[in-house]
Amino acid sequence: MAARKRLPLDMYDDIPTEMRKYLRFHGWHFNKKACDFAVSLMRKKNASTGKTEKIEPLTKDQVDSMLAKYGVTLENNVDYDYVYVANMGKADLLKSSITDEQHLALYVKDVVDDIDAGDGEIMREWDAKMTSRGIAVDWEEIL
């Protein structure tokens, strides 16, 4: 039996006009500005100092090169979603549960091509994190 498409539960939420405008143009997907903003907030714990630091972001070209180097092809990517995922993996998991760059590339594929993920789930999860952390998103700025 084929899975039925479900409407997102937030479709009836009151959302700011600027956010609605962003979603009209990009849907629940990262454009470059939104990705850059999201990545700018990412931190990693420095093992030698014990302090959190900003990560050195991976660019789109660097992520493309990494995926090509390991023969990873994405089937379901939209816009900059995969660049966000690569940076999230770098910030949160690299040198821990993701041991090296090759496994980071495979992680990006696993997340982006997750067969039971809904459309826009990557950005929706990020938006939920921003909301729960009390971080305002300037939707007009990232449009």
Side-chain angles (χ1 to χ4, degrees), residues 70-140:
Y70 298 107
V72 174
T73 303
L74 303 177
E75 304 297 326
N76 298 311
N77 183 61
V78 178
D79 295 334
Y80 276 74
D81 289 359
Y82 74 114
V83 177
Y84 167 80
V85 171
N87 280 288
M88 183 181 59
K90 178 181 180 179
D92 297 345
L93 306 169
L94 189 60
K95 304 296 183 197
S96 178
S97 56
I98 296 176
T99 55
D100 55 31
E101 185 182 71
Q102 180 179 12
H103 289 92
L104 178 59
L106 294 171
Y107 169 77
V108 171
K109 178 161 182 66
D110 287 345
V111 173
V112 170
D113 290 344
D114 182 353
I115 61 168
D116 62 350
D119 179 54
E121 191 164 305
I122 293 166
M123 189 177 203
R124 286 176 186 275
E125 286 180 359
W126 170 77
D127 182 59
K129 288 177 186 178
M130 295 301 96
T131 300
S132 72
R133 294 173 185 164
I135 299 172
V137 176
D138 186 344
W139 291 97
E140 192 167 38

Side-chain angles (χ1 to χ4, degrees), residues 17-63:
T17 303
E18 296 82 9
M19 182 179 184
R20 188 176 307 281
K21 189 174 181 181
Y22 179 92
L23 295 173
R24 188 177 307 122
F25 288 106
H26 302 285
W28 281 103
H29 299 284
F30 286 95
N31 67 7
K32 182 177 183 340
K33 286 183 181 180
C35 182
D36 288 347
F37 172 71
V39 173
S40 77
L41 300 173
M42 293 180 183
R43 304 287 184 271
K44 184 171 185 72
K45 186 175 183 177
N46 182 320
S48 62
T49 65
K51 296 183 180 183
T52 59
E53 302 173 344
K54 287 185 173 187
I55 65 165
E56 182 65 37
L58 295 169
T59 66
K60 180 182 182 300
D61 288 341
Q62 288 172 315
V63 177

